[in-house]
Amino acid sequence: KAGVTQTPRYLIKTRGQQVTLSCSPISGHRSVSWYQQTPGQGLQFLFEYFSETQRNKGNFPGRFSGRQFSNSRSEMNVSTLELGDSALYLCASSSLPGTGNTGELFFGEGSRLTVL
Amino acid sequence: GDSVTQMEGPVTLSEEAFLTINCTYTATGYPSLFWYVQYPGEGLQLLLKATKADDKGSNKGFEATYRKETTSFHLEKGSVQVSDSAVYFCALSDYGGSQGNLIFGKGTKLSVKP
């Protein structure tokens, strides 16, 4: 069973640009979550999508957005990049409670964004 | 709200030493508890989990017991190896919560010297 796939793995952008990151969940998983990981703040929840709908959103500005497609693949977008957006962006997928799921998330390897 | 607190790192040990990484949690319900591990340059991998009180999760020589009375889920390993060097995250489930489905601790970096 293929794992969670994130693309691109590495990218470099300059301030003011925008970026789109992609995530393909494990086959059969319909929930996709995004996290930002930085040395200072640790793992911070961005948002979660299920069946193309945003279920939850963390405390991030509106520059951070996401969406999910009918095949459960998800993208996140960051507009008007700032230096502080440099981070590892992690995508995770899961099935939802009620399907035998105990809350476990399955993570991709992440997309490392550097903003210059 | 729910939260996870784990010991600050970094932790440096010699090979074959005993490892304990403390983790305590605050939760209103009965969450599942997890330990995730992140090796350099990689994403997070589930190390072990426990879904109810007194459950013991174990994997690759690591163990953790879900202690409801002390709200703890400490990670232990009897004899660490250099290959165990990584960052370890304690987490609890929070279905549909505003912090995401999993709430993570800050992480503890472990370095094992030969």
Side-chain angles (χ1 to χ4, degrees), chain B residues 10-67:
Chain B
V11 174
T12 302
L13 296 173
S14 297
E15 206 164 24
E16 299 184 1
F18 183 84
L19 168 71
T20 299
I21 300 177
N22 290 336
C23 171
T24 57
Y25 68 91
T26 302
T28 53
Y30 302 93
S32 295
L33 301 174
F34 306 85
W35 277 100
Y36 279 82
V37 59
Q38 186 176 32
Y39 298 102
E42 299 184 9
L44 276 69
Q45 302 174 24
L46 179 68
L47 181 60
L48 53 83
K49 65 181 179 183
T51 59
K52 61 184 186 297
D54 299 325
D55 267 2
K56 177 184 283 188
S58 61
N59 186 26
K60 299 181 181 179
F62 291 89
E63 293 183 341
T65 301
Y66 189 163
R67 301 285 189 199

Side-chain angles (χ1 to χ4, degrees), chain A residues 9-10 31 33 35 37 41 43 45 48 55-58 88 90 94 96-97 101-105 107-109, chain B residues 32 34 36 38 41-46 49 51 87 89 93 95-106:
Chain A
R9 288 292 312 280
Y10 304 91
S31 171
S33 300
Y35 288 81
Q37 186 180 25
Q41 299 298 318
L43 282 158
F45 170 69
E48 183 209 356
R55 278 199 340 138
N56 293 297
K57 189 177 192 303
L88 181 67
L90 291 165
S94 71
L96 285 186
N101 173 34
T102 54
E104 176 181 350
L105 292 181
F107 284 85
E109 293 190 313
Chain B
S32 295
F34 306 85
Y36 279 82
Q38 186 176 32
E42 299 184 9
L44 276 69
Q45 302 174 24
L46 179 68
K49 65 181 179 183
T51 59
V87 181
F89 294 90
S93 61
Y95 297 120
S98 62
Q99 298 182 64
N101 284 343
L102 284 184
I103 297 172
F104 288 91
K106 294 284 188 184

Side-chain angles (χ1 to χ4, degrees), chain A residues 44-63:
Chain A
Q44 294 186 281
F45 170 69
L46 281 157
F47 26 64
E48 183 209 356
Y49 287 87
F50 176 74
S51 290
E52 303 178 65
T53 300
Q54 187 180 88
R55 278 199 340 138
N56 293 297
K57 189 177 192 303
N59 188 26
F60 277 82
R63 299 186 296 108

Side-chain angles (χ1 to χ4, degrees), chain A residues 5-101:
Chain A
T5 304
Q6 291 187 246
T7 57
R9 288 292 312 280
Y10 304 91
L11 65 168
I12 300 173
K13 294 285 187 179
T14 56
R15 279 180 298 173
Q17 287 186 311
Q18 73 161 8
V19 66
T20 299
L21 308 177
S22 179
C23 172
S24 293
I26 290 172
S27 178
H29 285 185
R30 297 168 62 192
S31 171
V32 173
S33 300
W34 289 88
Y35 288 81
Q36 182 196 64
Q37 186 180 25
T38 59
Q41 299 298 318
L43 282 158
Q44 294 186 281
F45 170 69
L46 281 157
F47 26 64
E48 183 209 356
Y49 287 87
F50 176 74
S51 290
E52 303 178 65
T53 300
Q54 187 180 88
R55 278 199 340 138
N56 293 297
K57 189 177 192 303
N59 188 26
F60 277 82
R63 299 186 296 108
F64 292 80
S65 63
R67 60 178 175 168
Q68 187 180 33
F69 302 95
S70 58
N71 62 357
S72 295
R73 190 176 69 86
S74 177
E75 289 181 348
M76 67 162 284
N77 185 78
V78 188
S79 62
T80 319
L81 284 166
E82 301 176 359
L83 295 179
D85 297 333
S86 295
L88 181 67
Y89 290 87
L90 291 165
C91 171
S93 74
S94 71
S95 52
L96 285 186
T99 60
N101 173 34

